[in-house]
Amino acid sequence: MPLTSTAAKAASSADGPGQSQAAYIHYLLALRFATDGIKHEALREAAASLRAQREGNPAASLAFQLIAEQRQNIHIRLCCVTANFIGAKFSADGARILTVLDDNTLSVWDAHTGEQTAGLMHHDNEVVAVAWSADGHRVVASLNDGTVHLWGASSGQPLHLPFHTVKPLSHIALSPDGKRVLGSAGGEVYLLDAVTGEVLSPKLTYHDDVNVVALSNDGKHALIGTDDDFAELLDPMTGKRLHRMVHGNAIFSATFSPDSRFVLTSSGDHTAKIWDANTGAQQGRDFTQTGPISDAEFSPDATHILTISHDHTARVWDARTGSALTPLLQHNAPLIDGGFSGDASLVFTRGRDQSMRIWSAVTGEATMLPIHYNSNKNGAEFSPTDSSLLVTDGNTAEILDMPPSDPAPVWLADLAEFTASRSRFSQSATPDLSKIEKMRDDLLASQRDDPWTRFGKWYFSTPDQRTVSPWSKLSLQQYVDQLIALNTKESLIYARQITFEHPAWALKIDAAQKALSSGIPQQQTKREAVR
């Protein structure tokens, strides 16, 4: 396979083009072996790639994933539910996750421990739309019976009695101060008092459906995206129409930049456009793909954008110049959505080919194996602050650690080779154990706190001290105790699944399972579990 344009660029900054080309070929072989499930050979090829070139090499990210999987393939899970997730969204500070299940409940979870912190927030009818307030204090939900519920995000308790709307609101947003609700039903848009449901401005009517409603973080603008081939900026206090932003087809997505200065729209006309939120004027040129663009997202600093298209591809662009920064990011089917990681080093894409993929936002190379999903109720979202990706699939929601964006350390190639030798399928190479012992001692004694050093320390930590995953704040033992304390059939099954190498923990889980099945009160079960 020939070098991509980004790989060719990397060659110019390496010690020589031969080294860069060799690194890329070894990376491609590593990716092929990993895709085919031959992970010990993938690790060896990743090591060879890293020895040829460490700077900007996607083999480092692949090695991170394969090493972490072999050491401890466990993730923090929002445990444990029996209904299916139909939505999940981080709070603006990345500390919590709001989930919507198809049993008509909402919950709020700690994004670092997976503990449920608020909920269950029960509803009598189907939840069709939810939103956080910008300060993370409130959650609003719209139901298919035309009611709107406002909840305290910390308490999980209703803040006011629900109010009724003339029609169910299929899209909804909550003002930063939590006092106003912006919602749409078909082609109608309403601005409502969040407590009483009082209509605060005349209803706006469009010829066709409204696909997007949003409120800026600074509270100065409301944004509407329509099938009428335009998006519109409104005054969120009065509902007055301010600026119209025209495309040549339906608006599929519309969003504010994090600083509220710009609007990004995508359309069935195969383009995405950036607009000034104060004037409504287009900024720069169109971002164009060969099919309708189903989603477009700003990077956290709004310097880059990601476009997601029905033409089976995505792309990262320079938001100011309109230049493409990556090759086309290819799926085997139309794409649904995507987004940037908190540090903008990665993007994810989600497609109708039953996969989510992780790419370098700099080079466009695949950095991890595809995440395949089985349910039509699935989704993904990067944490706005941490190196983690929330993935939902059916009744499972897990927080996956993403690889560091820093250049790979020298020792990563040696660790990849050592990890390859630990596979029961790999008996052809004997590692230099003295070299590995020195690596372990140096890492555990290091005072550095960069991501790769933390990863190395995680790998060499003893099982009773190792955290659930490289970036987790919980030890595995703390996590197992947390699952036991939940004392549900599902939590105990998951606890048993992740403790197969720890007989003492398995005995605690057995005791809890027996007590649960025999009907012993929950508090007594918990006391047994922590002895």
Side-chain angles (χ1 to χ4, degrees):
M1 179 180 294
L3 285 173
T4 63
S5 59
T6 50
K9 290 178 184 177
S12 66
S13 62
D15 291 342
Q19 276 193 323
S20 178
Q21 185 167 2
Y24 190 64
I25 290 170
H26 281 298
Y27 157 70
L28 292 177
L29 288 170
L31 192 60
R32 173 60 61 85
F33 279 127
T35 301
D36 291 343
I38 312 172
K39 296 185 178 180
H40 61 284
E41 292 296 344
L43 281 161
R44 289 199 176 97
E45 292 294 343
S49 180
L50 290 166
R51 288 202 167 94
Q53 179 185 325
R54 289 187 293 116
E55 188 83 21
N57 190 339
S61 296
L62 183 61
F64 170 92
Q65 180 184 16
L66 298 177
I67 292 168
E69 283 182 358
Q70 194 207 69
R71 169 56 84 198
Q72 187 166 281
N73 192 18
I74 299 168
H75 309 288
I76 292 289
R77 180 177 289 184
L78 307 187
C79 192
C80 291
V81 302
T82 55
N84 290 316
F85 290 93
I86 59 174
K89 185 171 182 58
F90 281 98
S91 57
D93 63 3
R96 290 169 296 166
I97 298 166
L98 171 66
T99 61
V100 188
L101 274 67
D102 62 6
D103 63 0
N104 306 333
T105 62
L106 308 183
S107 294
V108 176
W109 309 74
D110 186 304
H112 301 123
T113 67
E115 285 189 286
Q116 186 176 302
T117 60
L120 297 169
M121 294 171 251
H122 292 277
H123 303 87
D124 293 331
N125 288 277
E126 179 185 355
V127 178
V128 294
V130 298
W132 282 99
S133 63
D135 61 10
H137 293 161
R138 304 166 186 84
V139 170
V140 65
S142 169
L143 275 57
N144 68 350
D145 64 353
T147 59
V148 175
H149 297 247
L150 193 65
W151 300 88
S154 297
S155 67
Q157 297 299 312
L159 296 179
H160 307 284
L161 290 174
F163 62 80
H164 289 264
T165 55
V166 175
K167 299 176 182 178
L169 301 180
S170 54
H171 301 92
I172 199 166
L174 191 59
S175 65
D177 60 8
K179 294 181 179 180
R180 286 175 171 76
V181 169
L182 179 68
S184 70
E188 299 174 349
V189 173
Y190 302 87
L191 185 63
L192 306 168
D193 185 288
V195 175
T196 66
E198 176 189 357
V199 178
L200 299 178
S201 69
K203 175 184 69 178
L204 298 179
T205 302
Y206 297 88
H207 292 101
D208 217 326
D209 285 345
V210 170
N211 298 322
V212 182
V213 301
L215 289 158
S216 60
N217 289 331
D218 62 7
K220 294 181 180 179
H221 293 102
L223 176 63
I224 310 298
T226 77
D227 275 348
D228 286 354
D229 303 352
F230 61 84
E232 201 158 41
L233 285 162
L234 312 176
D235 183 322
M237 304 300 290
T238 66
K240 179 183 176 182
R241 287 171 157 146
L242 300 175
H243 305 292
R244 181 169 290 188
M245 299 165 288
V246 179
H247 276 262
N249 207 315
I251 304 298
F252 288 162
S253 72
T255 186
F256 288 102
S257 60
D259 63 6
S260 302
R261 293 176 57 203
F262 300 102
V263 169
L264 175 62
T265 54
S266 72
S267 170
D269 68 1
H270 304 191
T271 72
K273 302 173 188 282
I274 296 176
W275 314 81
D276 186 296
N278 290 315
T279 67
Q282 184 175 348
Q283 304 294 290
R285 68 186 197 186
D286 294 353
F287 305 91
T288 303
Q289 294 202 222
T290 60
I293 297 181
S294 55
D295 188 25
E297 299 291 337
F298 280 111
S299 63
D301 63 2
T303 59
H304 299 158
I305 70 163
L306 171 68
T307 56
I308 303 291
S309 177
H310 289 180
D311 68 7
H312 302 195
T313 69
R315 198 163 219 169
V316 179
W317 309 78
D318 186 299
R320 184 178 60 83
T321 66
S323 301
L325 298 178
T326 66
L328 294 172
L329 313 180
Q330 184 77 46
H331 279 247
N332 296 320
L335 300 190
I336 303 169
D337 59 11
F340 284 90
S341 60
D343 64 359
S345 66
L346 301 172
V347 295
F348 87 86
T349 55
R350 183 169 66 109
R352 299 193 187 281
D353 57 358
Q354 298 295 103
S355 76
M356 303 172 198
R357 299 173 186 266
I358 313 299
W359 314 84
S360 167
V362 178
T363 67
E365 301 290 357
T367 62
M368 300 177 72
L369 294 177
I371 302 164
H372 294 285
Y373 48 85
N374 302 310
S375 168
N376 62 358
K377 294 182 177 178
N378 59 77
E381 185 183 16
F382 274 118
S383 165
T385 54
D386 297 329
S387 298
S388 59
L389 177 70
L390 172 66
V391 174
T392 59
D393 185 9
N395 65 353
T396 300
E398 293 187 320
I399 300 170
L400 309 183
D401 289 350
M402 295 292 105
S405 57
D406 298 347
V410 173
W411 52 260
L412 184 61
D414 292 332
L415 182 58
E417 280 192 342
F418 173 70
T419 307
S421 73
R422 300 296 87 191
S423 168
R424 62 189 177 92
F425 300 107
S426 176
Q427 304 297 326
S428 59
T430 302
D432 182 347
L433 293 182
S434 62
K435 189 175 186 179
I436 300 304
E437 288 172 2
K438 184 177 187 307
M439 182 197 308
R440 179 196 63 198
D441 293 343
D442 288 347
L443 282 166
L444 294 178
S446 175
Q447 299 301 308
R448 297 182 62 180
D449 194 40
D450 63 278
W452 281 115
T453 300
R454 292 203 302 273
F455 175 63
K457 288 182 176 182
W458 172 84
Y459 182 90
F460 286 112
S461 296
T462 58
D464 60 332
Q465 295 179 337
R466 190 178 303 127
T467 55
V468 175
S469 57
W471 314 139
S472 174
K473 298 181 179 180
L474 283 180
S475 70
L476 182 57
Q477 183 167 358
Q478 288 173 320
Y479 189 45
V480 170
D481 287 343
Q482 178 178 302
L483 293 170
I484 293 173
L486 278 175
N487 199 44
T488 66
K489 177 183 176 182
E490 293 76 22
S491 70
L492 295 177
I493 289 173
Y494 185 49
R496 184 62 183 269
Q497 177 184 331
I498 65 178
T499 57
F500 60 94
E501 292 183 346
H502 304 277
W505 299 352
L507 289 174
K508 293 164 65 174
I509 296 165
D510 285 343
Q513 286 177 318
K514 289 176 182 177
L516 185 64
S517 63
S518 64
I520 295 175
Q522 186 174 8
Q523 291 303 317
Q524 186 171 342
T525 303
K526 290 182 179 179
R527 287 196 296 271
E528 290 292 327
V530 297
R531 283 180 183 172

